[in-house]
Amino acid sequence: MDLAGKPAGGHAGHSHDPGELDFDEEDGHDHGSAGGHPYLPPGLSLALLLGGIALDYVKPGFFTGYVRLLWYAVAFLLVGWKVIRAAVLSIPSGNVFNEFLLMSIATLGAFAIGEYPEGVAVMLFYTVGELFQDAAVNRAKRSIQALLEIQATEVTVVRGGQPLVLEPSAVQVGDVMEVKPGEKVALDGTLNSQAASFNTAALTGESAPQTKQSGEAVLAGMINLESLIQVTVTAVFKDTKLSKILAMVQDAVGRKAKTQQFITKFARIYTPIVVGLAALLVLVPYFVVEDYVFRDWLYRALVFLVISCPCALVISIPLGYFGGIGAASKAGILFKGSNFLDVLREIDTVVMDKTGTLTQGVFAVQQVQPAPGTAPEQLLRLVGALETKSTHPIAKAVVTHVGTAAAGVPVESVEEIAGHGLRGRVDGREVLAGNTKLLTKFSVAYPPEVDQVVDSIVVAAVDGKYAGYLTVADAPKEDAARAVQELKADGISKVVMLSGDKDSIVQRVARELGISEAHGGLLPEDKARYVQQYLTEGRKLAFVGDGVNDAPVVALADVGIAMGGLGSDATIETADVVIQTDHPSKIATARRIARATHRVVWQNIWLAFGVKAVVLALGAGGVATMWEAVFADVGVALLAILNAVRIQRMDFASPQTPNAHRSLSADEV
């Protein structure tokens, strides 16, 4: 909470909205003066309070009247003047009934009836509670704020053969950056150097270095690990993925969950009600109590006001959600708002794209099946050499698999036959490489079982005779099967795969991953039709995708989840949750974080309501004193804050991960 008492436009009448937990240090939670030492005024106030209590016990002659009042007044003003100022400055903005007003009335009222030590104690402990809350907020912000620090503040660009040091915002697309070992990449680009290793932990949460080859994408925020490299810029500063990630995270802080919205509205209604009840607690007994003593009933009303302060609710709940967002960001999962933590917890259906989501999105040779009498090495050498003349993704996969085995092999008279494949002379021999239609076209017989192969296939013939085939497929990600298992174990009743790929391939991948329902050969509108059907059935649905064609379906789902590493910008911008590591198993991790956050938030709500209800009743009955009131307010707030901070310490690693150190799982909260 901010006790600076800023007028409208600042934080006057602080509501503790999560949007106020911003990243502007000048707009932070300043509790102190004394040259930026916030603990000094409370420390001096505590010393004066303890000294005053000791003098009250000894009862020296000088410590009476105005001397005693002045002593406690100084102790009070050291911690109370900012609260009183905040209460006054919040009046013009219309935010009259807030915790500042409650604490001001209660403590000044205590002074008015001569209860100086209790008035000081209430304000002192309230201020100490504020300091603890600030520390908790800063802790929750730290993991997110670390993202801001990975943006490079300057970049070396080579122009006209000369290196220039510029601000990232001044660099243009097409410029060539030089990145030294240990430096951060400032902008997205493609690697010009032959190869380079990068630390991507700040972006993805993964500790293992990534190696990039020439021509591969390099993202802002990666740290160059080894030698001087050059990178051609492909996106201006505001369009880098890192800039978009930071914008997402900062926007997320302002998007409230339903629980937060309810508590904020509740506090605005609740506070004026308790002020009215406190007034009635003073006035009504005058007419119904026979031995009415104004001072006694005023004291009860003041105790009632202190107890009723809603601090524990209005700070610990946003802090709980903020902690959930921070814990997710450390795991490489970006929630665009705390409301999506609640929605993700409630889903019962997960629909996923195949390519790039459950599979690697990169074609690779899966099987080499030479014809009898043909050596595998010979088949690969001839087909690989011929495929170097094609730019088709399947041809590139074959060339990558063959590697240097086809280097230097002479290739001539290459003819590309649209929809069929390639024909050419390789090392003096006529070679055909393509689909089965190519062999049929040139009257080359092949075994009938070749037509039963599910994967994409490259069939070859050498000198008019069938020579064998290679299958090319998009392999599942390492954690794809585990992701499906975890979702089912986590209570997801329906896991579906939708893909534009050939249905036979989709069904095979579904069987490998343990997905019971899968549909292939779909256009974007077909995917949207399936998702709309599930929503019409009353399901709470999350859709996970990465391609441009997934953006409409991502927007249609209750929660849209994008793969942020390889995913398209359109899908990432449309999504509600972004998985930076591209690991589908992080969907279950996000669910564990969402459930833990929800559990902690409601623990805080019941704790605050329960304790306050009991102590309010005791205060109204004259049993509870200001000291019990302090516990009911500040003590409960501190307990709630400590509970919320636990989210940052929880281990959300998969329970199925071998040898994983699990200090506390979401289900153990």
Side-chain angles (χ1 to χ4, degrees):
M1 302 178 198
D2 187 354
L3 301 183
K6 297 178 184 175
H11 287 271
H14 206 314
S15 67
H16 302 291
D17 289 351
E20 293 171 353
L21 305 178
D22 54 32
F23 296 86
D24 183 353
E25 292 300 325
E26 294 180 359
D27 196 26
H29 302 277
D30 177 18
H31 289 269
S33 50
H37 297 287
Y39 297 99
L40 183 57
L44 293 174
S45 178
L46 177 62
L48 289 172
L49 174 62
L50 295 176
I53 292 173
L55 290 171
D56 279 337
Y57 180 78
V58 176
K59 293 185 173 59
F62 74 90
F63 197 66
T64 58
Y66 288 110
V67 173
R68 183 172 182 265
L69 172 61
L70 183 62
W71 181 286
Y72 283 114
V74 172
F76 175 80
L77 291 174
L78 281 168
V79 290
W81 75 272
K82 284 189 175 181
V83 177
I84 296 171
R85 181 171 175 265
V88 172
L89 291 178
S90 66
I91 294 173
S93 65
N95 186 15
V96 179
F97 294 100
N98 50 50
E99 63 267 31
F100 304 135
L101 179 69
L102 294 182
M103 300 309 296
S104 298
I105 293 175
T107 52
L108 291 174
F111 265 74
I113 61 175
E115 299 291 346
Y116 307 148
E118 294 189 13
V120 174
V122 168
M123 191 62 77
L124 173 62
F125 291 127
Y126 175 76
T127 303
V128 170
E130 298 286 276
L131 293 174
F132 274 103
Q133 290 169 8
D134 286 349
V137 168
N138 290 333
R139 180 185 180 86
K141 285 171 28 176
R142 203 166 296 140
S143 60
I144 295 176
Q145 208 160 12
L147 280 172
L148 293 176
E149 298 170 2
I150 68 174
Q151 273 191 318
T153 55
E154 59 181 33
V155 55
T156 302
V157 175
V158 179
R159 290 181 181 170
Q162 297 296 320
L164 298 173
V165 178
L166 304 173
E167 292 184 358
S169 57
V171 179
Q172 302 171 359
V173 173
D175 279 339
V176 176
M177 300 183 293
E178 279 192 346
V179 187
K180 298 175 184 175
E183 281 187 344
K184 299 167 188 170
V185 178
L187 300 150
D188 294 353
T190 55
L191 183 64
N192 294 354
S193 305
Q194 186 173 358
S197 293
F198 297 92
N199 179 340
T200 65
L203 282 174
T204 66
E206 298 296 302
S207 57
Q210 283 191 16
T211 300
K212 300 285 185 180
Q213 303 297 326
S214 179
E216 291 190 328
V218 176
L219 300 180
M222 292 181 174
I223 300 174
N224 180 25
L225 294 178
E226 294 174 350
S227 57
L228 179 70
I229 61 170
Q230 290 193 335
V231 177
T232 300
V233 176
T234 58
V236 295
F237 182 67
K238 67 181 179 65
D239 292 332
T240 63
K241 286 203 173 185
L242 178 58
S243 295
K244 292 176 180 178
I245 290 167
L246 298 180
M248 287 176 201
V249 174
Q250 289 181 283
D251 289 345
V253 179
R255 295 191 184 185
K256 297 182 185 179
K258 289 181 181 178
T259 310
Q260 288 173 269
Q261 293 171 344
F262 164 74
I263 291 300
T264 301
K265 292 175 183 176
F266 171 81
R268 289 172 184 164
I269 298 170
Y270 163 85
T271 306
I273 288 175
V274 297
V275 171
L277 290 174
L280 291 174
L281 192 58
V282 177
L283 298 175
V284 172
Y286 175 78
F287 301 100
V288 296
V289 175
E290 192 171 312
D291 54 346
Y292 176 83
V293 178
F294 173 76
R295 184 187 178 284
D296 292 345
W297 288 99
L298 177 61
Y299 182 81
R300 293 188 188 188
L302 297 176
V303 171
F304 188 88
L305 284 178
V306 174
I307 299 167
S308 64
C309 188
C311 302
L313 291 173
V314 295
I315 185 63
S316 66
I317 292 169
L319 182 60
Y321 282 106
F322 202 83
I325 292 174
S329 71
K330 286 197 295 185
I333 305 164
L334 301 180
F335 281 88
K336 291 188 182 179
S338 52
N339 50 324
F340 299 119
L341 282 161
D342 278 347
V343 180
L344 185 64
R345 181 187 58 83
E346 297 170 353
I347 64 168
D348 55 26
T349 302
V350 174
V351 180
M352 291 183 273
D353 177 44
K354 180 182 76 70
T355 306
T357 300
L358 289 169
T359 63
Q360 296 172 11
V362 179
F363 282 106
V365 173
Q366 303 294 318
Q367 182 183 9
V368 178
Q369 188 65 50
T374 302
E377 297 80 8
Q378 182 188 18
L379 176 64
L380 289 172
R381 179 172 172 272
L382 295 175
V383 173
L386 182 59
E387 294 285 19
T388 60
K389 305 303 179 183
S390 173
T391 59
H392 193 279
I394 290 180
K396 290 181 179 179
V398 173
V399 171
T400 300
H401 182 79
V402 173
T404 59
V409 177
V411 180
E412 56 189 4
S413 303
V414 177
E415 177 187 2
E416 184 163 355
I417 303 170
H420 292 71
L422 297 176
R423 177 190 185 191
R425 294 197 67 80
V426 181
D427 201 14
R429 308 180 71 178
E430 184 180 87
V431 178
L432 300 174
N435 54 32
T436 54
K437 289 187 292 183
L438 178 67
L439 269 61
T440 301
K441 180 179 178 67
F442 288 94
S443 302
V444 176
Y446 61 87
E449 59 265 23
V450 173
D451 287 324
Q452 306 304 314
V453 175
V454 173
D455 290 328
S456 299
I457 189 170
V458 178
V459 187
V462 178
D463 294 332
K465 292 184 178 181
Y466 170 73
Y469 66 84
L470 293 75
T471 61
V472 179
D474 183 10
K477 292 179 179 177
E478 290 183 2
D479 66 329
R482 176 162 58 88
V484 174
Q485 293 170 5
E486 287 186 14
L487 288 172
K488 290 179 178 179
D490 198 38
I492 300 298
S493 60
K494 194 178 190 72
V495 179
V496 183
M497 182 166 65
L498 303 179
S499 176
D501 206 348
K502 193 164 62 173
D503 189 62
S504 57
I505 296 175
V506 171
Q507 297 303 330
R508 177 182 59 77
V509 173
R511 286 193 296 272
E512 287 181 20
L513 301 182
I515 297 174
S516 56
E517 183 177 344
H519 305 279
L522 303 179
L523 297 172
E525 53 266 34
D526 298 323
K527 292 183 180 181
R529 178 169 49 82
Y530 273 106
V531 168
Q532 187 61 60
Q533 175 187 326
Y534 300 138
L535 292 172
T536 304
E537 293 172 0
R539 293 186 171 275
K540 296 287 285 186
L541 183 144
F543 182 86
V544 191
D546 73 312
V548 175
N549 62 346
D550 292 328
V553 199
V554 165
L556 186 61
D558 293 305
V559 180
I561 303 175
M563 293 293 169
L566 297 175
S568 73
D569 287 345
T571 305
I572 291 170
E573 289 175 10
T574 307
D576 308 310
V577 181
V578 179
I579 296 176
Q580 280 299 106
T581 61
D582 278 343
H583 291 157
S585 59
K586 289 295 178 75
I587 303 168
T589 302
R591 289 252 302 165
R592 286 192 286 272
I593 293 171
R595 282 203 314 277
T597 302
H598 178 267
R599 202 157 18 241
V600 165
V601 164
W602 278 98
Q603 285 170 357
N604 286 347
I605 290 173
W606 290 118
L607 172 68
F609 275 127
V611 173
K612 282 183 181 292
V614 172
V615 184
L616 275 173
L618 295 175
V623 178
T625 68
M626 282 281 188
W627 300 104
E628 284 84 1
V630 168
F631 169 75
D633 175 43
V634 179
V636 172
L638 289 178
L639 289 174
I641 290 164
L642 291 173
N643 192 36
V645 168
R646 285 193 309 132
I647 299 174
Q648 293 287 311
R649 300 187 176 210
M650 294 179 191
D651 183 358
F652 295 102
S654 166
Q656 297 184 25
T657 302
N659 301 322
H661 174 67
R662 297 171 56 246
S663 57
L664 186 65
S665 74
D667 290 327
E668 293 164 346
V669 178

